[in-house]
Amino acid sequence: MVDFKRFWTRKTLVGLGLGQFLSLLITSTGFSSSELARRGINAPTSQSFLNYVLLAIFYGSLVIHRKKGLKAKWYYYLLLSVVDVEANFLVVKAYQYTSLTSVMLLDCWTIPCVIFLTWFFLKTKYRFRKFVGVAVCVAGLVLVIFSDVHASDRAGGSNPVKGDLLVIAGSMLYAVSNVSEEFLVTNADRIELMAMLGLFGAVVSACQISILERQELRSIHWSTGAVLPFIGYAIAMFLFYSSVPILLKLSGSTMLNLSLLTSDMWAVLIRIFAYHEKVDWMYFIAFAAVAVGLVIYSGGVKEDGTGAEATEDPANQRTERDEEAGIEHCHGSTVESSKSDGKQDYAPTAPAEVVGNR
């Protein structure tokens, strides 16, 4: 029989809940972007700029107050910022050339990329149950796509090939960004990560805006209806970026991307209850499938006194990193990647040895 106590651990429930909070934030950014697009505003980099500024101001002040040196090299954060800014830009830009269905489908490419990168660089160990959970989640999203095709989204876009390539490129950059953040938040410092990502992200965005979006910003009629979506998008993204490192440290980057699959389903529920729109019945089956897949993927964590998962093979002499518990198994003993006494973001511990290379 299934031991449900192994599934419904505190860490599992927190991971699932935080993942859905992040999914709702992504849904809100989607509605903000839709409102801007409805008003004819096409400035994807400018939308993200204010978010990076908020990150730099809030977390940068904390870093300055601590008066401690960086735990990771500054150019790592610069490279991460470039990847993050361009990932956001490419995916948003793709909507101009291809259909919503294509973007939704190809954006799933992030998940296998994340699994490969965490396995290759972070030495993450994936069990068969995790692959089953991923398959069920993706199957649920495929149902949503079929529902969209069945309903109304039949337009191929002005240049489908170009749009699809942009989505694939953006998805790969998202995977690199997620895995890099997972490594940095585990081996360096969450506050430092957010501060440096905000600082360099703002600089990179400002440079890109000055080159690509100057004319677009000049043509915008800055009314209340145009400003509020910008502010709402920035606040939602600030909360999203602030919460992502917590989920990455708790459950890993694969769990993050699987959780974000439900953002389209939350958008559907908002359309039903807020706008009283009718949707295809397949959406509800898809939502249930993704929910079941998330439980399968994140469940089964058997916690010991430290909240870490017990090692199945204590005689294992290889160094492995478990995606479920965010810990390293070294020479038969379980060693936490960082202290969990509530002060891990401020402890002046030296970075762990680099295992591989967002």
Side-chain angles (χ1 to χ4, degrees), residues 35-36 39 221-231:
E35 180 62 22
L36 291 172
R39 294 176 176 273
H221 175 64
W222 291 103
S223 61
T224 303
V227 172
L228 288 180
F230 264 100
I231 297 176

Short mmCIF file of all heavy atoms in Angstrom, two decimals, residues 35-36 39 221-231:
data_model
loop_
_atom_site.label_atom_id
_atom_site.label_comp_id
_atom_site.label_asym_id
_atom_site.label_seq_id
_atom_site.Cartn_x
_atom_site.Cartn_y
_atom_site.Cartn_z
N GLU A 35 -2.60 43.44 -21.12
CA GLU A 35 -3.18 44.78 -21.09
C GLU A 35 -2.29 45.77 -21.84
O GLU A 35 -2.79 46.64 -22.58
CB GLU A 35 -3.37 45.22 -19.64
CG GLU A 35 -3.96 46.62 -19.46
CD GLU A 35 -5.35 46.76 -20.05
OE1 GLU A 35 -6.05 45.73 -20.22
OE2 GLU A 35 -5.77 47.89 -20.34
N LEU A 36 -0.98 45.67 -21.67
CA LEU A 36 -0.06 46.55 -22.39
C LEU A 36 -0.13 46.29 -23.89
O LEU A 36 -0.12 47.24 -24.70
CB LEU A 36 1.37 46.35 -21.89
CG LEU A 36 1.66 46.83 -20.46
CD1 LEU A 36 3.05 46.40 -20.01
CD2 LEU A 36 1.54 48.35 -20.38
N ARG A 39 -3.08 47.83 -25.51
CA ARG A 39 -2.92 49.27 -25.72
C ARG A 39 -1.86 49.58 -26.77
O ARG A 39 -1.49 50.75 -26.95
CB ARG A 39 -2.55 49.95 -24.40
CG ARG A 39 -3.67 49.89 -23.36
CD ARG A 39 -3.24 50.50 -22.04
NE ARG A 39 -4.35 50.52 -21.10
CZ ARG A 39 -5.25 51.49 -21.02
NH1 ARG A 39 -5.14 52.55 -21.80
NH2 ARG A 39 -6.23 51.43 -20.14
N HIS A 221 1.66 56.94 -24.93
CA HIS A 221 0.92 57.99 -24.22
C HIS A 221 0.80 57.56 -22.76
O HIS A 221 0.05 56.66 -22.42
CB HIS A 221 -0.47 58.17 -24.84
CG HIS A 221 -1.33 59.15 -24.10
ND1 HIS A 221 -1.01 60.50 -23.99
CD2 HIS A 221 -2.50 58.97 -23.42
CE1 HIS A 221 -1.94 61.10 -23.28
NE2 HIS A 221 -2.86 60.20 -22.92
N TRP A 222 1.56 58.19 -21.88
CA TRP A 222 1.69 57.74 -20.51
C TRP A 222 0.48 58.17 -19.66
O TRP A 222 0.56 59.11 -18.87
CB TRP A 222 2.98 58.25 -19.88
CG TRP A 222 4.19 57.61 -20.49
CD1 TRP A 222 5.04 58.17 -21.40
CD2 TRP A 222 4.66 56.28 -20.26
NE1 TRP A 222 6.02 57.28 -21.74
CE2 TRP A 222 5.82 56.10 -21.05
CE3 TRP A 222 4.22 55.23 -19.46
CZ2 TRP A 222 6.54 54.91 -21.07
CZ3 TRP A 222 4.93 54.04 -19.48
CH2 TRP A 222 6.07 53.89 -20.27
N SER A 223 -0.61 57.46 -19.84
CA SER A 223 -1.80 57.68 -19.03
C SER A 223 -1.80 56.71 -17.84
O SER A 223 -0.93 55.85 -17.73
CB SER A 223 -3.06 57.46 -19.87
OG SER A 223 -3.09 56.11 -20.34
N THR A 224 -2.79 56.85 -16.97
CA THR A 224 -2.90 55.94 -15.82
C THR A 224 -3.08 54.50 -16.27
O THR A 224 -2.51 53.57 -15.69
CB THR A 224 -4.09 56.35 -14.94
OG1 THR A 224 -3.92 57.71 -14.51
CG2 THR A 224 -4.20 55.45 -13.71
N GLY A 225 -3.85 54.31 -17.34
CA GLY A 225 -4.07 52.97 -17.86
C GLY A 225 -2.83 52.32 -18.41
O GLY A 225 -2.75 51.09 -18.49
N ALA A 226 -1.84 53.12 -18.81
CA ALA A 226 -0.58 52.56 -19.32
C ALA A 226 0.44 52.36 -18.21
O ALA A 226 1.24 51.42 -18.25
CB ALA A 226 0.00 53.48 -20.39
N VAL A 227 0.39 53.22 -17.19
CA VAL A 227 1.38 53.14 -16.11
C VAL A 227 1.07 51.99 -15.15
O VAL A 227 1.99 51.26 -14.72
CB VAL A 227 1.44 54.48 -15.34
CG1 VAL A 227 2.32 54.34 -14.11
CG2 VAL A 227 1.96 55.58 -16.24
N LEU A 228 -0.21 51.82 -14.81
CA LEU A 228 -0.58 50.80 -13.82
C LEU A 228 -0.16 49.38 -14.23
O LEU A 228 0.35 48.63 -13.40
CB LEU A 228 -2.08 50.85 -13.55
CG LEU A 228 -2.56 52.06 -12.74
CD1 LEU A 228 -4.08 52.00 -12.53
CD2 LEU A 228 -1.84 52.11 -11.38
N PRO A 229 -0.36 48.95 -15.51
CA PRO A 229 0.14 47.62 -15.89
C PRO A 229 1.65 47.48 -15.74
O PRO A 229 2.15 46.41 -15.36
CB PRO A 229 -0.30 47.48 -17.35
CG PRO A 229 -1.46 48.38 -17.48
CD PRO A 229 -1.16 49.55 -16.59
N PHE A 230 2.39 48.55 -16.04
CA PHE A 230 3.85 48.52 -15.85
C PHE A 230 4.20 48.29 -14.38
O PHE A 230 5.05 47.46 -14.05
CB PHE A 230 4.47 49.84 -16.33
CG PHE A 230 5.00 49.79 -17.73
CD1 PHE A 230 4.27 50.31 -18.78
CD2 PHE A 230 6.24 49.22 -18.01
CE1 PHE A 230 4.75 50.27 -20.08
CE2 PHE A 230 6.74 49.18 -19.30
CZ PHE A 230 5.98 49.69 -20.34
N ILE A 231 3.52 49.03 -13.50
CA ILE A 231 3.79 48.90 -12.06
C ILE A 231 3.37 47.53 -11.54
O ILE A 231 4.09 46.89 -10.78
CB ILE A 231 3.08 50.02 -11.28
CG1 ILE A 231 3.64 51.39 -11.70
CG2 ILE A 231 3.24 49.82 -9.79
CD1 ILE A 231 2.94 52.56 -11.05
#
